[in-house]
C-alpha cells in the first residue's frame, strides 16, 4: 500500500477536526465544573483550580506514557507493520492500569500532607482535598481512554473521538447538575459532586471505546486483543520513548501548580480570577493541542515512510492552519470579554477584575501556536529526551519568573500572567532543534 508523503489542508483538517472536537468536549468537562462551582462560591472555584491542576500533574504522567505509545503506533502505521500496533496497545494498557493503582494509593496517602503545607486558606484546603479524594478514582478509566486515543490518533482514524467525547461530556454535564446542586432526590455534594461526575464520565468513555472497537474496528488486523500478558521487551521499548514525555509532562504541570499556589497566597479573589482565565486559556489551547498532536503523528508517519524532508514544510503548514483557528477566536474573546467571563460567574466584581488578566493571556497565543507545533514535532521524531531537556529549561526559567513577579514583586494578577510569554518563548526554542535536522536518523 502506498505511503502518504504529503498532506493537503483538507486531509490535515479531516484528521485534526475529530481530535479538536474530542479535546473541546474534554474541556467542557472542566468548563462545566468551573461554571457550576463559580455559582457555589469563590472558595470552591479557587479550590477546583488547585485540585484540578494537582490531578492533572498526576494524570499527565500517564497521559505522557500514552503519547509515547501513540508515537510508536504512528511509526508502525507508517511502516505498514500493523500487527505490532496491537502489542504496543496491550502493553501500554496493562502498564497504565498498574500505574493508576500506584497513583491512586499514593494520592490517598500523601496528598493531604503535601497540600496542607502548601495551601494557606483552611477553607480552600478542605475543599481541595474533598475534590481530590473522589477525583483520583478517574485514573483507572482516563488512562485506558488515553490508550484508545493513542491508537486512533496514531492510525489517523480519529472520527470516533468526536462521538466518544460527546457521550462523555453529556454524561458529565448531567451528573454535575444533579450531584453539585442535589437534584432528582440526590444530596447537594458541591465540589465533591463535580469530582464524582468527572470520574463516572471517564468510565462511560472507556465503555464506549471498548464497544465501538469490538464492533467497528478490524482489531484482528492490529491484534488489539490477542495476548493480554506482560511483555517486558515491548514495555521497555515503549518506556524508551514515553519516559521522557512522562517526566516532561510532570515538570510542565508542576510549574502550573507552583503558579496557582503562588496566586492562592495572594488571596481567594486572585485565585478565582486565575482559575477563570486558565479555563478560557484551556479552551484556546485545545486548538493548539489538536494541531500539534496531529502534527506529531504525521511527522512520525512521514519518517516511518522514509520522507523526513517533508517534515519542516508540514510544520509550517500546520502553524498557518492553527493560526487560522486560534486568532479569530482569541480576537472575539478579547472584544467581548465580559460575555465570556459571565459563563463562569455571575459576580460583576469578579468579572471586571478578570478582564485585564484575560487580555494578557490571549496575547501569549501569538507565541504558543508555533512553539507547541515545533515542540510536539520533536516528540514525533522519537527524540523525546530532547523535548524533556527543552521542557526542563523552560520550566526552570518560568518558575524563576513566577517567583520574581508573583512572590517577590507581589504584582497584580494581570502582570502575573505575563509569565506565559516567558514559557512559550522558551518552548519555541524547539524550532532550532527541528531546523538542525539532527533528528533525521533516529530509529524507534
Amino acid at each position: 500500500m502506498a505511503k502518504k508523503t504529503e498532506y493537503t489542508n483538507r486531509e490535515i483538517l479531516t484528521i485534526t477536526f475529530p481530535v479538536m472536537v474530542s479535546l473541546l468536549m474534554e474541556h467542557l468537562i472542566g468548563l462545566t465544573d468551573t461554571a457550576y462551582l463559580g455559582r457555589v462560591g469563590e472558595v470552591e472555584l479557587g479550590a477546583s483550580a488547585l485540585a484540578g491542576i494537582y490531578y492533572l500533574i498526576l494524570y499527565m504522567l500517564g497521559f505522557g506514557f500514552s503519547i509515547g505509545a501513540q508515537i510508536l503506533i504512528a511509526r508502525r502505521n507508517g511502516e505498514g507493520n500493523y500487527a505490532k500496533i496491537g502489542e504496543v496497545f496491550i502493553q501500554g494498557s496493562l502498564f497504565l492500569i498498574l500505574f493508576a493503582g500506584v497513583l491512586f494509593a499514593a494520592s490517598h496517602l500523601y496528598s493531604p500532607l503535601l497540600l496542607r503545607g502548601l495551601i494557606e486558606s483552611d477553607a480552600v484546603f478542605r475543599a481541595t482535598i474533598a475534590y481530590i479524594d473522589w477525583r483520583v478514582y478517574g485514573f483507572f478509566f482516563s488512562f485506558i481512554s488515553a490508550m484508545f486515543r493513542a491508537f486512533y490518533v496514531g492510525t489517523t482514524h480519529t472520527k470516533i473521538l468526536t462521538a466518544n467525547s460527546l457521550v462523555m461530556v453529556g454524561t458529565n454535564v448531567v451528573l454535575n447538575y444533579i450531584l453539585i446542586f442535589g437534584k432528582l432526590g440526590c444530596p447537594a455534594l458541591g465540589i465533591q459532586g463535580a469530582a464524582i461526575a468527572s470520574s463516572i464520565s471517564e468510565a462511560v468513555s472507556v465503555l464506549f471505546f471498548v464497544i465501538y472497537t469490538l464492533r467497528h474496528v478490524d482489531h484482528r488486523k492490529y491484534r488489539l486483543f490477542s495476548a493480554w500478558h506482560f511483555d517486558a521487551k515491548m514495555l521497555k521499548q515503549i518506556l524508551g520513548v514515553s519516559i521522557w514525555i512522562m517526566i516532561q509532562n510532570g515538570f510542565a504541570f508542576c510549574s502550573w501548580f507552583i503558579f496557582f499556589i503562588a496566586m492562592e497566597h495572594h488571596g481567594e479573589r486572585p485565585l478565582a480570577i486565575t482559575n477563570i482565565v486558565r479555563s478560557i486559556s484551556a479552551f484556546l489551547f485545545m486548538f493548539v493541542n489538536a494541531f500539534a498532536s496531529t502534527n506529531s503523528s504525521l511527522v512520525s508517519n512521514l519518517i516511518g515512510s522514509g520522507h523526513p524532508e517533508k517534515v519542516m514544510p508540514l510544520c509550517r503548514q500546520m502553524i498557518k492552519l492553527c493560526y487560522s483557528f486560534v486568532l479569530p477566536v482569541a480576537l472575539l474573546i478579547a472584544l467581548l470579554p465580559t460575555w465570556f467571563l459571565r459563563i463562569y460567574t455571575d459576580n460583576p466584581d469578579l468579572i471586571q477584575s478578570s478582564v485585564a488578566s484575560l487580555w494578557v493571556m490571549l496575547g501569549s497565543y501569538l507565541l504558543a501556536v508555533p512553539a507547541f507545533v515545533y515542540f510536539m514535532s520533536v516528540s514525533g521524531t522519537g527524540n523525546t529526551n530532547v523535548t524533556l531537556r527543552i521542557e526542563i529549561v523552560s520550566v526552570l526559567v518560568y518558575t524563576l519568573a513566577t517567583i520574581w513577579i508573583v512572590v517577590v514583586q507581589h504584582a497584580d494578577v494581570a502582570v502575573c500572567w505575563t509569565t506565559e510569554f516567558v514559557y512559550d518563548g522558551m518552548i519555541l526554542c524547539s524550532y532550532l532543534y527541528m531546523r538542525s535536522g539532527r533528528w533525521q536518523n533516529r530509529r524507534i
Side-chain angles (χ1 to χ4, degrees):
M1 188 174 74
K3 311 282 196 314
K4 287 293 296 183
T5 61
E6 291 184 1
Y7 297 89
T8 65
N9 286 351
R10 185 187 181 94
E11 287 171 329
I12 290 172
L13 289 173
T14 299
I15 298 168
T16 305
F17 186 71
V19 178
M20 194 186 304
V21 173
S22 74
L23 291 171
L24 172 61
M25 294 301 106
E26 289 170 20
H27 170 70
L28 284 175
I29 289 179
L31 186 151
T32 52
D33 284 359
T34 305
Y36 282 143
L37 292 173
R39 285 155 176 80
V40 175
E42 287 189 24
V43 168
E44 287 78 10
L45 184 59
S48 70
L50 289 174
I53 294 296
Y54 181 79
Y55 173 82
L56 278 174
I57 292 172
L58 301 178
Y59 167 74
M60 291 305 292
L61 295 174
F63 185 74
F65 179 88
S66 77
I67 292 296
Q70 176 185 309
I71 292 166
L72 279 172
I73 288 170
R75 187 66 57 89
R76 300 298 169 255
N77 192 62
E79 296 166 352
N81 191 357
Y82 302 116
K84 284 290 182 183
I85 290 174
E87 293 182 32
V88 175
F89 179 82
I90 290 168
Q91 295 308 309
S93 298
L94 290 173
F95 174 82
L96 285 179
I97 291 170
L98 180 63
F99 192 51
V102 171
L103 291 181
F104 178 85
S107 178
H108 276 292
L109 287 172
Y110 301 113
S111 292
L113 294 173
L114 174 63
L115 294 174
R116 179 66 282 184
L118 295 173
I119 298 174
E120 193 172 73
S121 165
D122 287 336
V124 172
F125 169 75
R126 287 193 300 271
T128 301
I129 293 299
Y131 183 93
I132 290 170
D133 280 347
W134 285 101
R135 190 68 185 89
V136 291
Y137 285 93
F139 285 139
F140 296 98
F141 310 115
S142 59
F143 285 172
I144 299 302
S145 286
M147 279 307 303
F148 275 107
R149 182 180 180 277
F151 167 73
Y152 285 109
V153 174
T155 57
T156 70
H157 297 114
T158 54
K159 289 183 179 179
I160 180 56
L161 299 181
T162 302
N164 178 267
S165 298
L166 284 169
V167 170
M168 182 169 65
V169 77
T171 304
N172 188 70
V173 169
V174 172
L175 290 178
N176 256 336
Y177 180 70
I178 293 170
L179 297 177
I180 291 175
F181 300 114
K183 304 298 181 180
L184 300 180
C186 294
L189 299 176
I191 195 169
Q192 288 177 308
I196 294 169
S198 296
S199 295
I200 293 174
S201 300
E202 286 165 345
V204 171
S205 170
V206 173
L207 182 62
F208 184 93
F209 269 134
V210 170
I211 293 171
Y212 179 88
T213 304
L214 287 172
R215 289 187 175 182
H216 301 287
V217 175
D218 186 359
H219 50 84
R220 292 180 182 84
K221 171 184 174 181
Y222 298 107
R223 299 180 63 189
L224 287 180
F225 306 113
S226 58
W228 284 82
H229 57 78
F230 274 108
D231 181 338
K233 185 178 178 182
M234 176 55 71
L235 185 56
K236 183 179 178 182
Q237 188 178 9
I238 301 171
L239 282 168
V241 178
S242 298
I243 189 67
W244 310 113
I245 304 177
M246 294 170 73
I247 298 170
Q248 165 205 318
N249 283 346
F251 265 100
F253 279 85
C254 274
S255 65
W256 260 104
F257 190 63
I258 290 168
F259 182 76
F260 272 80
I261 287 293
M263 295 310 300
E264 189 270 336
H265 284 258
H266 274 230
E268 291 169 2
R269 170 59 62 85
L271 181 60
I273 292 170
T274 299
N275 191 19
I276 291 171
V277 174
R278 176 199 64 86
S279 184
I280 297 175
S281 176
F283 172 71
L284 271 179
F285 190 71
M286 167 202 72
F287 295 100
V288 180
N289 194 10
F291 281 99
S293 179
T294 299
N295 193 66
S296 178
S297 282
L298 296 184
V299 164
S300 195
N301 271 280
L302 285 174
I303 296 171
S305 59
H307 293 279
E309 75 282 357
K310 303 286 186 181
V311 166
M312 290 302 284
L314 173 67
C315 291
R316 290 190 289 270
Q317 183 182 5
M318 197 69 74
I319 289 168
K320 291 176 184 176
L321 280 172
C322 190
Y323 269 137
S324 71
F325 281 81
V326 170
L327 293 183
V329 175
L331 183 60
L332 181 63
I333 295 171
L335 292 173
L336 300 169
T338 55
W339 191 89
F340 284 92
L341 291 168
R342 205 172 287 121
I343 296 171
Y344 297 91
T345 179
D346 49 12
N347 184 330
D349 232 15
L350 183 56
I351 289 171
Q352 195 56 44
S353 300
S354 302
V355 172
S357 300
L358 180 64
W359 284 338
V360 173
M361 177 276 291
L362 292 172
S364 70
Y365 275 85
L366 292 170
L367 284 178
V369 170
F372 282 93
V373 168
Y374 282 117
F375 185 64
M376 291 291 284
S377 298
V378 179
S379 294
T381 67
N383 289 282
T384 50
N385 59 332
V386 175
T387 63
L388 175 61
R389 287 180 224 156
I390 295 170
E391 186 69 70
I392 289 174
V393 173
S394 301
V395 166
L396 287 175
V397 174
Y398 172 82
T399 302
L400 289 173
T402 298
I403 292 171
W404 175 253
I405 295 172
V406 182
V407 180
V408 177
Q409 297 296 317
H410 209 74
D412 180 75
V413 182
V415 177
C416 294
W417 271 92
T418 60
T419 54
E420 288 298 288
F421 289 89
V422 176
Y423 180 73
D424 293 337
M426 294 301 301
I427 289 292
L428 189 54
C429 293
S430 52
Y431 164 74
L432 300 176
Y433 178 78
M434 291 302 297
R435 191 181 67 174
S436 74
R438 285 180 288 175
W439 45 268
Q440 293 195 15
N441 297 317
R442 167 74 166 157
R443 293 286 177 268
I444 59 174

